[in-house]
Amino acid sequence: MKHKFMKKGIVLLLALSMVLAFTGCKGKEKEPEKTKMSEEDKNTVYQYNVLNLNNESSDFDNVQFENNKIYATMYEYSEDTGVTTEYLITLDMEGNEIGRIIIPSGWNDNGGYGMNQICVANDGTIYGVSYSYENYYDETAGEYIWREEYSLVQLDEEGNEVWSVPLGGTEDQGIDESNYYYVNRLLVDNNDTIWVFDTKNYTAYDTEGNKGMSVKALENSSDVYLTQDGNFVVGSWGTDYDQLKFYLFDTQKGVIEDEAYEVPGNYYQYSYYSGVGSGYDMFATNSVGIWAFNWGDTEMVKIMDYILSDFESSWLYNVCPTDEGQFMASFYDLDWKMQIASFTKVPPEEVADKYIMKLACHYLADDVKKQVIEFNRAHEDVRITIEDYSAYIEEDNYEAGIEKMNSDILAGNIPDIMVAPSDMDLSIYANKGLFADLYEFIEKDEVIQTEDYLENILALGEYEGKLYELIPQFNAITLIG
């Protein structure tokens, strides 16, 4: 049964490596050196409840949580008409659809119209930024025409326009970039004031669409986030697009303060969300978990670890705190289906005191992550944790993660299991005797036999006759003449 190798290889990798933690490098039995979960780790465990999304199409976008309701945009394509329709749907906290409106949109060869921002206020009022554009070649004038206009609108519960206020637009965008106009963000603050953050200004409107305060936008504006006190922090890349900094926008005074804040860590490795209601200013999500910080902090604090929480996903989106230690979020599960869930922190004293085995990697495939979670759920006394060194990649140094992995291992911070990139040179570790010979464990195993696998592929993981590496899958490339 040689073909078993591709399917069974990853299981073999995990199963054999787990034995390593309880044996010596050379296969000699000895008392294991066990590491228990730290108090810091116990503070990062959450339980979660996935909503039963009673909807034929659960691929949602722009998910927002307000007053025990979930709002999200969704697209549906009709094979009969060939038309894609965009909806704003409302769900209850059980995942049942309780409302749906059509978001006006359409296009043809010469232009189109639609909605580029939607925001639901605390009272359920729906606001949006609509746009229309023309893009065609005027044969009479002998030139290409580009026009784009934006408006702030309020929609009723059936999707009808209540009022509309012109915001701005662009003409000949590609020719004259100084005239470029775009709405970066639409937000409603704690006082029900509607804020439009565009490339020109930050402008307030009341619930009737009347224009209020307007402040000149920062150069090359970026993200905008609500703060604990109801103000905003606004991002700017500066004149040269060389560094992203954030500034406090005091909406009461109408002043953008001079003091600049930088995001702790590598900005490109995370997705960011306002942490208002959680005790922190900001949440940051990456492939490992959720982190939190306050503006002015130099480091982030990990508040949730995906693997320690048995969370079957590689990223969280649309994170919205509902209380301290609780939040809602959307995510794609390991089968790439959109899900929405509520998350609640497990008190540290209720987290089982398990032994820890560390898996080091530089990115981790979803199928391996899934098997790690299955292993953790099946074992009461031991748990695998993941150190993903891809989180250390820098904008100007893609190899920074690999470099840190190498330096950690050579410094004695050795993982129990390693999932190595295909181009990583492992001979330096083999020469230092840091790897166990997996053949010794295969010989003692009653189920796993080398003849069950493609032995020539198995041999690729050998070094001086010892098996240090397992290859979970491979591809055969052929040419037909």
Side-chain angles (χ1 to χ4, degrees):
M1 298 294 290
K2 307 291 186 182
H3 63 281
K4 287 183 180 179
F5 187 86
M6 287 181 61
K7 187 173 182 180
K8 197 173 179 182
I10 296 174
V11 181
L12 182 63
L13 166 68
L14 294 177
L16 290 177
S17 299
M18 288 163 195
V19 181
L20 302 186
F22 302 100
T23 63
C25 296
K26 304 302 181 181
K28 298 179 181 179
E29 303 295 335
K30 71 172 186 177
E31 185 67 24
E33 297 179 1
K34 300 179 181 179
T35 301
K36 286 191 174 182
M37 288 183 68
S38 66
E39 292 303 313
E40 183 179 355
D41 284 338
K42 291 181 180 180
N43 261 305
T44 64
V45 178
Y46 276 69
Q47 60 184 10
Y48 63 101
N49 178 46
V50 179
L51 276 60
N52 182 21
L53 299 176
N54 297 320
N55 192 289
E56 293 181 0
S57 175
S58 59
D59 196 4
F60 303 128
D61 197 7
N62 301 318
V63 181
Q64 184 180 345
F65 306 95
E66 291 290 347
N67 287 335
N68 293 320
K69 293 181 180 179
I70 304 167
Y71 300 89
T73 55
M74 181 187 73
Y75 296 89
E76 283 189 354
Y77 174 76
S78 172
E79 294 184 358
D80 295 333
T81 63
V83 174
T84 298
T85 304
E86 184 179 8
Y87 297 94
L88 174 66
I89 67 168
T90 307
L91 308 173
D92 63 20
M93 297 306 288
E94 301 297 323
N96 301 301
E97 184 176 321
I98 58 177
R100 173 186 291 227
I101 65 173
I102 296 177
I103 299 174
S105 63
W107 56 89
N108 55 38
D109 293 340
N110 295 328
Y113 62 94
M115 199 85 68
N116 91 323
Q117 299 272 337
I118 291 180
C119 183
V120 182
N122 291 328
D123 61 1
T125 304
I126 303 168
Y127 301 102
V129 174
S130 66
Y131 67 88
S132 62
Y133 69 92
E134 293 180 287
N135 183 19
Y136 61 93
Y137 181 75
D138 187 332
E139 295 184 357
T140 302
E143 61 182 7
Y144 284 97
I145 303 298
W146 173 272
R147 297 189 185 92
E148 190 172 33
E149 296 180 350
Y150 292 84
S151 297
L152 174 64
V153 300
Q154 179 187 330
L155 304 178
D156 63 19
E157 294 181 351
E158 297 180 352
N160 300 310
E161 187 177 288
V162 178
W163 50 255
S164 176
V165 177
L167 294 175
T170 302
E171 187 164 352
D172 295 334
Q173 172 182 322
I175 300 173
D176 184 6
E177 292 190 2
S178 65
N179 193 37
Y180 176 70
Y181 180 89
Y182 185 77
V183 177
N184 293 315
R185 195 73 189 273
L186 174 67
L187 291 170
V188 179
D189 68 16
N190 300 336
N191 299 316
D192 292 328
T193 301
I194 309 158
W195 286 91
V196 176
F197 295 86
D198 59 44
T199 51
K200 304 294 183 183
N201 301 286
Y202 308 145
T203 308
Y205 295 84
D206 65 20
T207 55
E208 302 298 322
N210 299 305
K211 185 176 180 179
M213 176 190 304
S214 186
V215 177
K216 180 178 174 57
L218 296 172
E219 282 192 281
N220 300 319
S221 291
S222 179
D223 301 328
V224 182
Y225 302 101
L226 188 65
T227 63
Q228 305 277 3
D229 57 4
N231 292 306
F232 298 100
V233 287
V234 292
S236 169
W237 284 99
T239 305
D240 300 323
Y241 279 96
D242 56 347
Q243 187 175 16
L244 178 62
K245 295 183 179 181
F246 287 86
Y247 301 83
L248 177 65
F249 175 28
D250 189 327
T251 58
Q252 302 301 313
K253 299 178 182 178
V255 173
I256 300 175
E257 297 187 357
D258 293 332
E259 183 180 2
Y261 298 105
E262 295 183 21
V263 173
N266 188 341
Y267 180 81
Y268 301 94
Q269 293 292 322
Y270 300 88
S271 298
Y272 296 88
Y273 304 95
S274 173
V276 172
S278 69
Y280 290 96
D281 290 335
M282 295 292 295
F283 281 165
T285 66
N286 66 359
S287 62
V288 174
I290 300 183
W291 309 74
F293 64 92
N294 294 314
W295 293 109
D297 291 349
T298 57
E299 294 183 356
M300 294 190 289
V301 176
K302 184 192 285 187
I303 63 171
M304 177 184 173
D305 185 290
Y306 294 159
I307 294 298
L308 292 180
S309 302
D310 293 335
F311 179 55
E312 295 187 22
S313 181
S314 298
W315 214 281
L316 278 172
Y317 303 91
N318 304 297
V319 179
C320 179
T322 54
D323 202 349
E324 189 167 346
Q326 296 180 329
F327 62 89
M328 300 288 297
S330 62
F331 64 94
Y332 288 96
D333 62 23
L334 296 182
D335 294 321
W336 284 102
K337 181 180 180 182
M338 170 69 82
Q339 306 283 4
I340 297 175
S342 60
F343 296 78
T344 303
K345 183 176 181 178
V346 178
E349 61 272 16
E350 296 181 13
V351 178
D353 198 11
K354 298 185 178 184
Y355 293 108
I356 292 298
M357 298 181 64
K358 179 180 174 182
L359 183 152
C361 62
H362 190 265
Y363 292 113
L364 189 65
D366 286 344
D367 54 352
V368 179
K369 182 176 291 185
K370 188 173 184 178
Q371 292 188 52
V372 170
I373 293 172
E374 290 174 353
F375 175 88
N376 286 343
R377 287 173 175 170
H379 292 77
E380 297 181 354
D381 58 344
V382 65
R383 172 175 288 275
I384 299 175
T385 62
I386 294 176
E387 175 77 21
D388 188 348
Y389 283 86
S390 67
Y392 298 100
I393 293 175
E394 300 173 359
E395 182 186 5
D396 55 352
N397 183 11
Y398 189 79
E399 300 299 321
I402 297 293
E403 292 168 1
K404 180 167 177 55
M405 180 190 288
N406 284 329
S407 62
D408 279 358
I409 293 173
L410 294 177
N413 184 14
I414 302 173
D416 300 288
I417 312 165
M418 181 193 299
V419 179
S422 59
D423 58 349
M424 187 175 183
D425 183 7
L426 301 178
S427 61
I428 186 173
Y429 303 135
N431 287 330
K432 290 182 177 292
L434 298 181
F435 292 147
D437 182 4
L438 299 181
Y439 278 138
E440 296 182 11
F441 299 104
I442 294 177
E443 291 172 0
K444 298 176 182 179
D445 196 280
E446 297 179 357
V447 177
I448 300 172
Q449 303 296 324
T450 55
E451 56 265 26
D452 289 336
Y453 303 93
L454 295 175
E455 296 180 17
N456 58 328
I457 301 298
L458 204 60
L460 294 176
E462 292 182 2
Y463 183 79
E464 296 182 352
K466 296 182 178 182
L467 184 64
Y468 291 149
E469 182 181 5
L470 288 171
I471 302 170
Q473 60 185 2
F474 64 92
N475 296 318
I477 301 175
T478 62
L479 296 175
I480 299 177

